[in-house]
């Protein structure tokens, strides 16, 4: 199983970009990188996912290095409501199989300060 | 779209009783649903994977006779905690997966969406 490494916590000023790093050096060629976040006492919220190319949606951008061993989630203009634990996850299991699953690590607690 | 609901959001029960938690995918069909458990200040731990119409697959260390999972339809899965004890008190979160068929160029990936969670307290 490809595992991920994230900083335990980060701070960001409101209105600035938040860049959250993730290392996944053992990722295999067909595994996607997913990002979720969890606000206290709620279920995780899907943010974005990617395979090789950089991705952008209305919430964030995902930058994946060429060797795919690391990625960065970018929240372009962080707000106080973005304070949450952010999880970087590599999907593992047989692609297309029923055992494909997401395993959560400890994530990064992002605190957005006023 | 992609909304997953759980019911109840909170439940308090007495030790020795059973509790059922429902998970529904409201606007898509989920062939696979997952059940996670989260203790305070810890990450989510996958308990089991259930595929519609078949038996659930439990993670190592999770008692299948204690945590009964039923996935009778493409939009509903239930988790029953039998003979609950105080150590079963936790935040239970379900997740529903919407799969994509592989093409010649794309590796298959899954969109997985989570419910809001159920806080179980066993007294």
């Amino acid at each position: 199983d490809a595992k991920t490494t994230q900083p335990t916590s980060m701070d960001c000023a409101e209105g600035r970009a938040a860049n959250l790093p993730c290392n996944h050096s053992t990722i295999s060629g067909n595994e996607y990188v997913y990002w979720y976040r969890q606000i206290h006492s709620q279920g995780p919220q899907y943010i974005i996912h990617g395979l090789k190319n950089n991705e952008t949606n209305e919430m964030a951008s995902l930058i994946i290095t060429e060797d795919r061993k690391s990625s960065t989630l970018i929240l372009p203009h962080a707000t106080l409501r973005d304070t949450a634990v952010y999880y970087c996850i590599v999907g593992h299991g047989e692609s297309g199989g029923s055992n494909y699953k997401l395993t959560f690590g400890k994530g990064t607690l992002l605190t957005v300060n006023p | 779209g992609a909304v997953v609901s759980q019911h109840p959001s909170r439940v308090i029960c007495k030790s020795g009783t059973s509790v059922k938690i429902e998970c529904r995918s409201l606007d898509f069909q989920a062939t696979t649903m997952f059940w996670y458990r989260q203790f305070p200040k810890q990450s989510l731990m996958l308990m089991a994977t259930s595929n519609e119409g078949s038996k659930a697959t439990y993670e190592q260390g999770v008692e299948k006779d204690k945590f009964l999972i039923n996935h009778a339809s493409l939009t509903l899965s239930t988790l029953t905690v039998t003979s609950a004890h105080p150590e079963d008190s936790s935040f239970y979160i379900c997740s529903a997966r919407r799969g994509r068929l592989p093409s010649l160029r794309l590796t298959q990936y899954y969109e997985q969406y989570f419910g809001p969670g159920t806080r179980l307290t066993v007294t």
Side-chain angles (χ1 to χ4, degrees), chain B:
Chain B
V3 177
V4 177
S5 70
Q6 276 184 248
H7 178 79
S9 58
R10 290 178 178 270
V11 57
I12 301 173
C13 70
K14 292 187 176 181
S15 187
T17 62
S18 295
V19 175
K20 180 185 283 189
I21 302 170
E22 291 187 350
C23 175
R24 294 181 184 272
S25 56
L26 298 184
D27 51 2
F28 66 99
Q29 293 185 329
T31 53
T32 305
M33 288 186 170
F34 304 85
W35 287 95
Y36 292 79
R37 179 169 53 180
Q38 186 174 33
F39 292 109
K41 298 190 178 183
Q42 294 187 20
S43 187
L44 283 77
M45 283 179 41
L46 180 63
M47 299 175 65
T49 302
S50 75
N51 292 292
E52 185 262 339
S54 61
K55 290 183 179 180
T57 302
Y58 291 81
E59 295 298 303
Q60 192 172 9
V62 178
E63 301 174 58
K64 62 179 182 180
D65 294 330
K66 182 170 183 62
F67 299 99
L68 302 179
I69 292 172
N70 184 278
H71 191 166
S73 77
L74 289 173
T75 59
L76 173 64
S77 176
T78 60
L79 168 68
T80 301
V81 183
T82 63
S83 186
H85 292 287
E87 57 265 31
D88 298 323
S89 298
S90 188
F91 191 49
Y92 290 86
I93 306 168
C94 77
S95 178
R97 187 174 79 186
R98 181 167 65 185
R100 293 216 178 235
L101 295 176
S103 71
L104 291 177
R105 291 175 294 166
L106 294 177
T107 300
Q108 189 169 10
Y109 72 94
Y110 295 99
E111 298 172 10
Q112 189 168 327
Y113 300 93
F114 289 80
T118 296
R119 178 77 57 191
L120 170 63
T121 303
V122 184
T123 60

Side-chain angles (χ1 to χ4, degrees), chain A residues 4 6 20 22 33-39 44-45 47-48 73 84-89 103-108, chain B residues 38 42-44:
Chain A
T4 62
Q6 298 178 253
L20 291 89
C22 178
V33 179
Y34 299 83
W35 283 83
Y36 285 81
R37 71 181 182 184
Q38 185 179 28
I39 297 170
Q45 178 189 21
I47 301 173
I48 199 167
L73 178 74
V85 177
Y86 287 76
Y87 296 99
C88 167
I89 304 165
T103 302
F104 285 73
K106 296 184 178 180
T108 296
Chain B
Q38 186 174 33
Q42 294 187 20
S43 187
L44 283 77

Side-chain angles (χ1 to χ4, degrees), chain A:
Chain A
D1 298 349
K3 294 184 179 179
T4 62
T5 304
Q6 298 178 253
T8 303
S9 63
M10 294 182 64
D11 285 300
C12 176
E14 187 178 17
R16 304 296 294 268
N19 296 282
L20 291 89
C22 178
N23 286 323
H24 32 78
S25 58
T26 59
I27 192 171
S28 63
N30 62 349
E31 290 181 315
Y32 278 78
V33 179
Y34 299 83
W35 283 83
Y36 285 81
R37 71 181 182 184
Q38 185 179 28
I39 297 170
H40 183 61
S41 294
Q42 297 182 24
Q45 178 189 21
Y46 166 81
I47 301 173
I48 199 167
H49 73 277
L51 183 64
K52 296 180 182 178
N53 301 320
N54 298 337
E55 303 287 345
T56 296
N57 62 20
E58 64 278 4
M59 288 183 68
S61 295
L62 174 60
I63 308 298
I64 302 174
T65 58
E66 192 170 342
D67 62 7
R68 302 208 328 120
K69 292 185 177 182
S70 65
S71 61
T72 301
L73 178 74
I74 301 173
L75 307 179
H77 305 288
T79 70
L80 299 179
R81 288 182 294 181
D82 292 323
T83 293
V85 177
Y86 287 76
Y87 296 99
C88 167
I89 304 165
V90 173
H92 63 96
E94 178 188 340
S95 181
S98 59
N99 66 342
Y100 191 90
K101 53 192 176 184
L102 302 182
T103 302
F104 285 73
K106 296 184 178 180
T108 296
L109 173 60
L110 173 69
T111 302
V112 181
N113 301 305

